[in-house]
Structure formats: structure tokens, C-alpha cells
Amino acid sequence: MRTLIENATVVLPEGTAKTSVLVEDGRIAAVDPAAHTRADEVVHAEGLHLIPGVIDDQVHFREPGLTHKEDFAHATRACAKGGVTTFLEMPNTIPQTTTQERLAEKLALAATKCLVNFGFYMGATTSNLDELRSATRTPGIKIFIGSSTGDLLVDEQEALERIFAETSLPICAHCEDEATIRANRKAVGAPSGVADHSRIRDHQAAFVATSRAADLATRHRHRFHVLHVSTVAELAVIDAAREYLTCEVCPHHLFFNVSDYERLGTLVQMNPSVKYPEDNEGLLKALAEGRIDVVATDHAPHTLDEKNRPYPESPSGLPAVENSLALMLDQVNRGRFTIEQVVTWMCTNPARVWNIRNKGEIREGWDADLVLVDMNKTATILNESQETKCRWSPWHGTELTGWAVRTWVMGREVFRDGRIDGTVRGREASFDV
Ligand code: DOR
């Protein structure tokens, strides 16, 4: 099957150009193919942008074990619609992904169910060092330095030192300091509402944990990725340890803050917590300045019934994969960023950070994970049209301009103008070591 995507505005590594892209056997066969090139299908893409598929390096798809919240089928339909062609998923499922055997089971399950490409982190515990040392078929190790959903937690210094010293895969971590959280919880006392969440999981909690991780990574010369940075203060720590560190930010930390608790309540209860307007502004500015490598979602669905429990029984997390690209493209339309920057944060850099082979750029010979974007399309996010199994979005009612209109996974079209082809299956991503 040869597909010719003709006359698109293509975001290429060397710059954006009006050209055509030929896809054959799941790969990008040619950029700017000869005029006489024949194809089985010609896509007239005049006026549309062609970008590499989004790689979301932080999602929780809940399968196996928590499939009443989300599952691979729903989550990857959401990905297809949102222009996400590869995801890297976190180990806090049931069972947890903490052994090679569990990882292999998850990969096998994903191969039968996922509409887009996939990879899974290995979760660190205080007792699985051998598994972490010998792990294969994974982008890296995930550590919860602070607890979140589930009970994966490694916060003792000695255990952390050993993981950083004795493993070689890249490490990423949820950086909120457990001792600070406990002390804050005590100081806040009986919770009076969800706004307490940002007092308990405060700036200090994020700062202490990120500082601690940066110190470990630097001393052990270990590649480390700081997940979901929520404060400007953490960035100074990251800047100072750049040789070993990369970092990312999530849309909810860019666009929500404590003032949203009044309107959205526990729907914007997340770990790390949302912070203050100054943090939104500071993170947006830091992104534009190139101080943040990746934009990812931390897609973490819970049912509305669960979210509607009174705080603190309400779980932390919100879904986002189907809207993250549009949220960022809307910012492009507002003149805040360029589309090339969005591609760098959401496609190119995640592939580089996690050494994902042949993805993240539109290049001859690379995987044909592609998204056609209509920068003029305006649509409103509505709970009832969400593909995620939990069927709500904290952005319900938000109108955005700039949406994915067609998505290809390894050359197969999985999404076109609102329709999803549920027969498409993604592949296991490969990681260069
Ligand atoms: O709010 C969160 N929820 N943050 C995380 O890091 C985990 C996630 C979840 O799995 O629910």
C-alpha cells in the first residue's frame, strides 16, 4: 500500500516546507517524491500541516487491573483521535509492572488491543533491583519518589542510591517528597476541601524531591527525566544538572491553577497538585525559552463517581490524551508558540529522551506515524464526545482551534474526520540502548 500525502505544510527536522510525503509498507518512503510517483491513495493536504505522530511518554491506561477506569481499547481510540501515535505507560497497574514477566504480559496484551504504538516502563520497588538491572523491551525505570495512585513508593535514600548506582536504563520519577507531604498534611489538619491538596502537595514537596533526584542523577552520572514539573523553582535545579537531566510539563500544570478548584473541584485534583498563576506563566515562559524538553499528559483517568467523592477520598488524576495536541496547537494560534516548537516537545524530544527508534521526526525510512492537522479547525471539548472510558474532561466546554484531522500509525490510517478504525493495531516501540 502506497499513500501519497500531497502538498501539505510538512514540519520536517530541517524546517517546515510545503511538500509531499510518500508512505509505503508502514514507513516514510520519500519526502518530496518525484512528480510521477504512483500511489494507491492520494491525500490532498493543501492548507493542512503534516506533523510526526505525538509520543506521549507519561500515561496511565489502567490495564490490567483497573479497567473500570480505562482500558487499552478506549485509551488508544482517544490517542488516535488526539494525534498520539505512541504512548509510554506507567507501571501502577494491577498487577504492577515490576518484573520482566509482568512487562511481557502487558506487552502481549497491548499487542492485541492497542490502536497505536506502545511501550511500558518498569516500576521500581525497594526489592526488585535484579529485575531493573536485567530489564529489556522497556524505555526505562519509573520511580515514585512520592506516593500517588497505587502503592509504588521508593523514598528511602539507601534504596534510591542503589537503583541509581546499579542500573543502566534511563530513570524517570514522580518527584514529590513524601516527608514534606506528611508534614504538610499534619500542619493543614482536618481537610476542609480540595484546595488543601495544593497546600499538602506544595512547592516545597516538589522542590525537595526534584533536588534529591537531581543530586542522585548527577552523583551517579545516570540519565534521569523529571516527570510533570509543576513549579518554576524546580527548573533552576534542573538547569543546574542538565548534563544528566531532561524534564517535562503537562497541560494541566500549564493551564490550571488553584483558582480552578472553585469551578472544577476534584476534577483538577492531580499529583503533583496544580499550583498558582505565577507557575502557569513561569512554565509557559520556560517552555518557550527551551528549558523544558517534553510536553506529556500524565493521562490518569478515574470514573466521575470516584472523582466526586469528598476530598481526600477523591483520587488524583485526569484524562488528557485526546486533547493535549489541540491544547498546544490552540496556543500556536494564539501566537504563544510555533508549531515547530510543539512538534519538538510532543514528538521529537520524547523520542530522543527515551531513545525510541525511528520515531518523532518525518524522515525517509522512519516509521509512518503521521498526523494531519487543520490549524483552522475549531471544536469544543465535550464530555459526551470523549473516547476515554471515563468520559469526562476537565476541559469540558473549552473551545480550541487547531486539531488533528487524520492520524496514521505505521502507515495505516486509524483516524479520519471523526471516525476511528478500531481494526488498526500499533506495534511495540523499540528502544536503542
Ligand atoms: O494524579 C496522579 N494520578 N498523578 C500520578 O502521578 C498518578 C496518577 C494516577 O495513576 O492516578
Side-chain angles (χ1 to χ4, degrees):
M1 171 83 178
R2 285 157 72 94
T3 305
L4 180 64
I5 305 169
E6 216 174 45
N7 294 328
T9 304
V10 187
V11 181
L12 297 163
E14 58 275 15
T16 299
K18 184 134 184 231
T19 186
S20 300
V21 171
L22 181 70
V23 171
E24 186 171 14
D25 298 332
R27 309 244 180 264
I28 297 165
V31 176
D32 194 16
H36 60 267
T37 298
R38 286 177 178 277
D40 304 296
E41 188 194 11
V42 178
V43 176
H44 301 288
E46 185 80 35
L48 303 175
H49 283 77
L50 188 70
I51 66 169
V54 170
I55 299 171
D56 193 329
D57 77 358
Q58 193 189 176
V59 301
H60 302 264
F61 284 173
R62 311 301 194 201
E63 187 160 354
L66 293 160
T67 51
H68 68 286
K69 297 174 192 279
E70 184 67 289
D71 58 29
F72 285 142
H74 285 86
T76 58
R77 287 177 68 86
C79 285
K81 179 178 154 197
V84 177
T85 54
T86 301
F87 68 83
L88 302 182
E89 206 250 6
M90 290 298 164
N92 59 337
T93 43
I94 301 174
Q96 296 163 340
T97 321
T98 51
T99 66
Q100 190 68 40
E101 197 183 335
R102 295 282 181 246
L103 179 71
E105 285 165 10
K106 220 182 199 186
L107 285 164
L109 194 62
T112 65
K113 297 190 169 181
C114 290
L115 280 65
V116 302
N117 308 310
F118 48 86
F120 298 100
Y121 295 98
M122 276 285 268
T125 71
T126 46
S127 59
N128 73 340
L129 201 52
D130 284 344
E131 295 282 351
L132 301 180
R133 258 195 229 115
S134 58
T136 57
R137 300 172 71 192
T138 182
I141 297 166
K142 163 72 182 281
I143 310 179
F144 283 88
I145 294 182
S147 61
S148 190
T149 302
D151 55 7
L152 275 175
L153 173 69
V154 183
D155 72 334
E156 297 122 48
Q157 192 64 24
E158 200 186 313
L160 289 169
E161 296 281 354
R162 290 198 67 186
I163 295 169
F164 276 83
E166 296 178 34
T167 65
S168 55
L169 283 167
I171 298 176
C172 62
H174 180 116
C175 294
E176 285 185 297
D177 183 59
E178 201 54 26
T180 309
I181 293 170
R182 271 189 227 124
N184 287 343
R185 198 172 278 136
K186 212 162 155 198
V188 166
S192 59
V194 67
D196 285 342
H197 197 64
S198 294
R199 299 185 188 107
I200 294 167
R201 291 176 178 263
D202 65 352
H203 281 75
Q204 187 66 7
F207 183 76
V208 170
T210 297
S211 306
R212 202 171 160 201
D215 169 60
L216 281 158
T218 307
R219 276 192 291 105
H220 294 286
R221 299 170 183 273
H222 204 121
R223 268 281 303 113
F224 181 76
H225 184 67
V226 185
L227 299 164
H228 43 41
V229 172
S230 62
T231 69
V232 176
E234 286 166 272
L235 292 174
V237 175
I238 293 163
D239 284 345
R242 266 292 167 185
E243 199 179 337
Y244 301 103
L245 261 57
T246 50
C247 69
E248 80 186 34
V249 71
C250 301
H252 51 270
H253 291 129
L254 295 174
F255 304 125
F256 290 130
N257 58 58
V258 291
S259 72
D260 292 297
Y261 283 133
E262 206 174 303
R263 188 171 58 91
L264 294 165
T266 53
L267 295 186
V268 285
Q269 178 191 330
M270 279 296 298
N271 301 335
S273 67
V274 295
K275 302 293 192 302
Y276 294 84
E278 310 83 86
D279 295 292
N280 300 142
E281 273 313 304
L283 292 172
L284 286 162
K285 184 163 172 282
L287 250 186
E289 289 168 355
R291 295 171 71 199
I292 299 174
D293 304 279
V294 169
V295 175
T297 62
D298 196 6
H299 177 92
H302 300 280
T303 67
L304 266 184
D305 278 352
E306 291 167 336
K307 288 297 274 184
N308 285 334
R309 288 178 197 148
Y311 183 81
E313 282 114 67
S314 45
S316 296
L318 53 83
V321 282
E322 62 202 278
N323 301 310
S324 56
L325 178 61
L327 283 161
M328 298 306 291
L329 293 179
D330 185 71
Q331 294 292 312
V332 171
N333 275 317
R334 287 167 192 261
R336 180 127 213 175
F337 306 128
T338 64
I339 192 166
E340 291 81 6
Q341 285 177 309
V342 171
V343 166
T344 300
W345 303 324
M346 300 187 81
C347 316
T348 314
N349 282 352
R352 289 190 183 162
V353 166
W354 296 109
N355 308 308
I356 307 175
R357 194 174 303 152
N358 290 351
K359 293 193 188 296
E361 291 173 31
I362 298 180
R363 227 181 240 290
E364 285 180 11
W366 285 35
D367 295 344
D369 296 333
L370 298 166
V371 181
L372 207 50
V373 158
D374 183 350
M375 288 303 289
N376 296 315
K377 179 180 170 171
T378 297
T380 301
I381 297 171
L382 295 172
N383 288 345
E384 50 274 28
S385 53
Q386 299 301 291
E387 294 290 337
T388 171
K389 192 167 185 182
C390 68
R391 292 207 89 197
W392 61 272
S393 166
W395 286 284
H396 172 73
T398 303
E399 187 183 88
L400 301 174
T401 302
W403 287 88
V405 289
R406 292 174 83 150
T407 306
W408 290 266
V409 171
M410 300 297 290
R412 282 197 63 193
E413 192 171 59
V414 65
F415 172 73
R416 178 176 182 177
D417 299 328
R419 286 187 313 279
I420 295 163
D421 181 350
T423 67
V424 172
R425 289 292 171 270
R427 305 239 187 100
E428 179 179 342
S430 303
F431 308 99
D432 291 318
V433 277

